[in-house]
Amino acid sequence: MKKVLIVIIVFIVLAGLWGVSTRNGFVTMEENVKQSWSQVENVYQRRLDLIPNLVATVQGYASHERETLEAVTQARASVGQISAQGLQNITNDPKAFERFQQAQGSLSSALSRLMVVAEKYPDLKANENFLDLQKQLEGTENRIAVERRRFNEAAQSYNTAIRMFPGSLIAGFSGFQQKNYFTAAPEAAQAPKVQFNTTPPATH
């Protein structure tokens, strides 16, 4: 009888240790997801910070391109409104995450149109301030793509772990929730590509 009792006690202790270890593993992975998300926020914020100066510079040379300039400004404002609502739990909220992606995608599209407009103004393309801002923007867009990928990888590892049995029992009991993924079209996060025409047009 004592041996059976000892076996039961040992089993309970081992099960408890496994449960604690598994839960701690989930906590570590979830914190990794949060850290990855903070990096995504940082690079997106960097892009937001660049836009006012970029718009002002383009406006100085192409003020009549009002529609394009307003589209960028409005898209930036929409992103700002979503950010102001708080992003702490956005990775657990599919609808909020989708709104965030759509707003960022709209901003990427508006910025791409702005860069196409800039192609039509040689003086603007030669402006040092514009060239510096363009370089920073392209670097930021590339960084966004990198950080989105890293976030998705962290979220995938975490989601897989909390869904696999028997760890899913601990995850369910402890309230761990699945994280959302970035699923927007790849072009939404690519840097705007502007090819400057260095060859003078043919004369007839």
Side-chain angles (χ1 to χ4, degrees):
M1 189 68 179
K2 289 183 179 181
K3 290 183 178 180
V4 174
L5 184 59
I6 291 175
V7 171
I8 293 174
I9 292 174
V10 170
F11 175 79
I12 293 174
V13 170
L14 291 177
L17 292 174
W18 170 81
V20 170
S21 176
T22 300
R23 187 182 187 284
N24 287 342
F26 293 158
V27 169
T28 298
M29 284 186 284
E30 187 174 42
E31 289 302 314
N32 187 37
V33 173
K34 291 179 180 179
Q35 192 275 336
S36 298
W37 175 251
S38 70
Q39 289 299 108
V40 171
E41 287 185 287
N42 287 340
V43 290
Y44 272 129
Q45 184 59 51
R46 172 59 177 162
R47 180 168 72 171
L48 282 183
D49 294 341
L50 287 172
I51 289 173
N53 287 336
L54 182 64
V55 170
T57 302
V58 174
Q59 191 172 26
Y61 289 84
S63 59
H64 58 283
E65 300 281 357
R66 185 187 308 175
E67 183 178 348
T68 301
L69 293 167
E70 287 181 351
V72 174
T73 301
Q74 291 173 1
R76 181 183 185 275
S78 296
V79 170
Q81 289 176 356
I82 292 177
S83 298
Q85 295 172 1
L87 302 176
Q88 292 182 351
N89 298 318
I90 194 172
T91 57
N92 296 329
D93 186 337
K95 291 183 178 180
F97 198 82
E98 182 178 2
R99 289 196 300 271
F100 177 83
Q101 290 187 88
Q102 289 176 345
Q104 295 290 356
S106 295
L107 181 54
S108 293
S109 178
L111 283 171
S112 294
R113 293 196 299 273
L114 182 67
M115 302 307 286
V116 171
V117 164
E119 170 70 9
K120 299 187 297 184
Y121 299 89
D123 290 343
L124 172 60
K125 292 188 298 181
N127 179 274
E128 290 185 7
N129 187 44
F130 174 76
L131 292 175
D132 180 61
L133 289 169
Q134 182 190 38
K135 183 178 180 180
Q136 291 185 59
L137 178 62
E138 290 176 346
T140 300
E141 292 282 1
N142 289 332
R143 194 64 191 173
I144 285 173
V146 170
E147 297 301 341
R148 281 164 54 112
R149 175 179 56 79
R150 289 178 176 175
F151 170 81
N152 275 353
E153 290 173 351
Q156 181 181 32
S157 296
Y158 167 82
N159 288 342
T160 300
I162 67 171
R163 292 182 61 194
M164 292 184 66
F165 184 85
S168 57
L169 300 177
I170 301 297
F173 180 77
S174 301
F176 289 99
Q177 299 179 345
Q178 289 192 55
K179 305 297 182 182
N180 297 296
Y181 297 109
F182 277 107
T183 57
E187 60 267 25
Q190 289 180 352
K193 296 181 179 179
V194 180
Q195 295 182 349
F196 297 113
N197 184 10
T198 57
T199 304
T203 56
H204 300 283

